[in-house]
Amino acid sequence: MVSLSLTSPFLKQTIPSIDTITLDIDGMKCGGCVKSVEKQISQHQGIICANVNLMTSVALVEYQVGVVELETIAQKLTNLGFPTQVRLKDETQENQKLIIHQKRLSAKKNQQYLLISAAFLLLFSTIGHLHHLGLHPWHWLTNIWFHWGLATASLLIPGREILLNGWQGLWQRKPNMNSLVGIGAICAYIASCIALIFPELGWECFFDEPVMLLGFIFLGKVLESTARNKAVDSLEALLSLRPQFARLVGKINSNQDQGLQIPALQVKPTEWVRVLSGEQFPVDGIIIEGETTVDESLLTGESLPTFKSVGEKVCAGTINHGNMVIVEAVTDGKNTLLSQIIATVEAAQTRKPPVQKFADTVSSYFTYFIIATAFFTFSFWYFWGTQIWSNIVIELDTTKIILSLKLAINVLVIACPCALGLATPTAILVGTTLGAENGLLIKGGDVLEQVKNLKTIVFDKTGTLTQGYLEITDIFSYYPDKFSEDKILQIAASLEIVANHPLAETILKKAQKLNLEILDNQKLENCHGKGVKGIITPFIDCFYLGNQSWLRENNIMVNDVTVNQVKSLQTQGKTVIYLAQNTTIIGFIALGDTLRQDAKQTIDTLEKMGLEVIMMSGDQPETATYIAQQLAIKTYYGGVTPQGKSALIKQIQQENPDKIVVMIGDGVNDAPAMTTAQFSIAMTNGAQVAIKTAEIILTRGKLSDVITAIHLSQITLTKIQQNLFWALSYNLIAIPLAGGFLLPSFHLLLNPAISGALMALSSIIVVTNSLLLKSQFRRFQKLLAG
């Protein structure tokens, strides 16, 4: 016998569970910082992946629970110059709002500091330049030591943060934008100090240059910060929509119970809450008592309030416009639809498209390249350039070392790694937030890049192109004088009062909607799966309601005329139930899953966009054919199993390997195909597995939002491409220009201050271009609505 100890390798080892946490990280300046932070997080054991967003200063970290200490990682990042905090998952609503408020106050204080610094620096620079204009009411303004004092004060007071941050980046071998600006400013200052101390060298003092350089840098940071805040405003507005409190009441005598006010996040499923007129619904729930109108524009975009009565669902964050109601929570306060939307949007903004990963990689090496280029520029002009074009030094009234140094400083400060780092996250931030505000959840920036090659859209039928639930489509009476359509429905509802299946529920709801009273009845019997029978008092006759086999069991014959009528309805995918009085059929009711109102227009628009539309369904082929003909879909499949749907997607992909295929569905049976497709779209009323599988979710349940989702993805991707093109083009043109490329031919020489201003302008253009996405999207919405 072999005994195994507790440490035996043959025993099954426990696999650590995987979780996701958010880190709030400050101090990131550009894409190089992002890459550096991601590298620092990922190198720890137990970290699966880390995605960092420059715009929101957030990292989403997937890790093995118990293997890694997140506080240790946060402390290490803080020590490296990136102050970091672990965001707790179970924060109360008040704490979350406090964090947002503190971030906003911190950003506002920083912006005020930047603005004051910029104002002082530009004022110092203006004072320093007065003697160039002959405006010197006080002779000491022309004194070189006064200029030295201004430059020294500028570097030590407002410029201190830039210099320290830049030095920290260099020391840790992770140089950033501040490193480049700091090297440029210090080089100009030191060269001017040498010229001041050793005038016999004949060097030029240019103390005004570092002052003006820092002034433009700070001014650019103010403008960039303002633009960034505008980009983040929409996300913060979304966060502020979360309800803050709930009024908990008991289930007995709930109307007399004053209620206990608790944070909305602490409400548990099955608990009852009272919602007064004008208040937000604190949880997703079902109305237990009362009826009201609800403003659901937050989730649906519809401006008109929706009427809600007992048994109907309401969502957290929507507003009660009518009477007081009692609601039973169906989820806890942390897992409402609104909370899921917010969490999805935040997570989406950390998922990067491949193009952003490339940009971050380029940014991480960019500063090294610029430092090397600046060194090369100095060497070229000092050893060769001033020899080849010796007249330049004379015309500019300078020395070759000062000219070479100025050109090298130009290269350092004109290069803009920030524009490259901001190009993608700003566009994704604006795009995904716009989507959430308009009923679209785009789960990540990587989805956007898939859309550019989108050629084929595959629709599930039931619940996607159709409503997904039964409605009464036809009521037919053979004796209209005696039994009108309403009377047929009233008798059917009076029989179905004892049944419990979808057909019965549909009939009862329709009768209730038409205010048809339930007739007195006796001896009601329900035969599950077949039908019901009973005596309806006003007629004192026995009525039978059910399928054909139910009628046969009760010796009621269905003639050929009725069979042919019913068959034409059944080919449309409709279910028919017969109503008979004693032994005579007096009519029938047809129920079917009807098309969504916007289905035909959506399909037509997608085809006009040049996309191939395919439909597949698990229903019988006849039903699929009827729906496809209604929508003018040329390629369709019926009677397809879940595995068959997945196989069809694979077949389409193999026939067109370069084309992106998107699957749109809502049910459990669609999940395999949605996983197989390059990306998928789900309806919000679908199964959870379909929603979790999908990359885009239509939260309003409107099929036409498929068009909006595609368009928003396309214009967001276009903005990313425009931003990256600008960032790369700017650096490709600006760096040679700053290095004196046009100096021999056109005598065009930039000074460090102008170079710094151009650098700041580059980042501002990128962020502003991303913000233009809002107006572009609104124009599309008006066009679609018109």
Side-chain angles (χ1 to χ4, degrees), residues 291-306:
E291 56 184 33
T292 186
T293 54
V294 180
D295 179 0
E296 297 183 306
S297 58
L298 163 69
L299 299 176
T300 66
E302 298 294 337
S303 56
L304 294 176
T306 306

Side-chain angles (χ1 to χ4, degrees), residues 311-495:
E312 293 192 274
K313 187 176 180 180
V314 291
C315 292
T318 57
I319 300 171
N320 180 14
H321 265 336
N323 306 314
M324 182 272 290
V325 291
I326 304 294
V327 175
E328 182 180 71
V330 295
T331 63
D332 60 43
K334 300 171 187 173
N335 295 309
T336 62
L337 177 60
L338 179 59
S339 294
Q340 291 174 35
I341 289 173
I342 293 170
T344 303
V345 172
E346 287 181 311
Q349 289 163 359
T350 61
R351 281 176 56 178
K352 303 174 183 178
V355 67
Q356 171 63 14
K357 294 176 182 177
F358 166 76
D360 286 348
T361 301
V362 171
S363 295
S364 65
Y365 295 106
F366 188 77
T367 47
Y368 293 107
F369 169 75
I370 295 303
I371 292 171
T373 304
F375 181 77
F376 170 78
T377 301
F378 177 85
S379 301
F380 172 80
W381 282 102
Y382 186 77
F383 293 107
W384 296 287
T386 51
Q387 304 297 328
I388 298 170
W389 301 287
S390 56
N391 61 314
I392 292 176
V393 175
I394 299 170
E395 289 176 8
L396 294 176
D397 190 22
T398 185
T399 60
K400 66 177 185 178
I401 190 169
I402 296 299
L403 175 63
S404 304
L405 185 60
K406 280 190 174 183
L407 291 170
I409 293 171
N410 282 346
V411 171
L412 286 170
V413 299
I414 205 169
C416 190
C418 280
L420 203 57
L422 291 170
T424 301
T426 51
I428 290 176
L429 176 71
V430 176
T432 52
T433 308
L434 270 176
E437 291 173 349
N438 291 274
L440 305 171
L441 280 186
I442 302 172
K443 288 188 177 179
D446 50 338
V447 179
L448 303 174
E449 208 155 343
Q450 302 271 17
V451 177
K452 65 180 179 182
N453 294 322
L454 178 61
K455 292 297 178 185
T456 303
I457 297 184
V458 181
F459 283 94
D460 167 57
K461 179 186 75 70
T462 307
T464 305
L465 292 172
T466 64
Q467 297 285 1
Y469 53 84
L470 292 174
E471 289 185 343
I472 293 175
T473 59
D474 305 272
I475 300 176
F476 184 82
S477 173
Y478 288 105
Y479 306 97
D481 293 338
K482 185 177 181 182
F483 296 101
S484 64
E485 290 184 6
D486 281 357
K487 184 60 70 176
I488 293 284
L489 179 62
Q490 187 178 26
I491 294 171
S494 303
L495 294 169

Side-chain angles (χ1 to χ4, degrees), residues 35-198:
K35 195 71 176 177
S36 176
V37 169
E38 285 181 347
K39 186 177 179 180
Q40 287 294 327
I41 297 173
S42 300
Q43 68 185 9
H44 285 77
Q45 184 181 1
I47 298 295
I48 297 170
C49 68
N51 287 306
V52 179
N53 187 291
L54 177 62
M55 279 296 297
T56 56
S57 300
V58 158
L60 197 66
V61 182
E62 193 174 350
Y63 69 102
Q64 293 178 330
V65 179
V67 178
V68 62
E69 289 291 335
L70 293 167
E71 292 292 348
T72 304
I73 296 176
Q75 186 59 49
K76 185 174 181 181
L77 288 171
T78 300
N79 294 338
L80 291 172
F82 303 107
T84 302
Q85 286 185 329
V86 179
R87 186 184 296 179
L88 300 178
K89 283 191 170 184
D90 296 328
E91 295 172 320
T92 63
Q93 181 71 20
E94 289 76 10
N95 285 343
Q96 288 177 330
K97 283 187 170 291
L98 182 61
I99 289 171
I100 294 168
H101 182 63
Q102 287 174 340
K103 276 191 171 184
R104 180 60 84 187
L105 279 179
S106 176
K108 190 174 181 180
K109 285 181 180 178
N110 184 54
Q111 201 167 4
Q112 289 172 345
Y113 168 76
L114 292 172
L115 186 59
I116 292 169
S117 298
F120 272 109
L121 287 165
L122 292 175
L123 176 62
F124 288 171
S125 179
T126 303
I127 292 171
H129 279 79
L130 286 177
H131 72 279
H132 293 305
L133 303 175
L135 302 174
H136 41 84
W138 300 286
H139 70 279
W140 49 267
L141 287 178
T142 62
N143 190 296
I144 192 64
W145 288 101
F146 173 72
H147 289 254
W148 171 83
L150 287 180
T152 304
S154 300
L155 290 171
L156 292 179
I157 302 174
R160 181 173 176 271
E161 182 183 350
I162 286 179
L163 297 179
L164 287 177
N165 184 267
W167 168 250
Q168 192 173 32
L170 286 171
W171 179 257
Q172 294 165 1
R173 289 177 292 180
K174 297 177 181 65
N176 53 35
M177 182 199 75
N178 286 341
S179 302
L180 300 179
V181 174
I183 292 171
I186 289 294
C187 286
Y189 178 77
I190 292 174
S192 297
C193 286
I194 293 172
L196 177 62
I197 297 170
F198 303 103

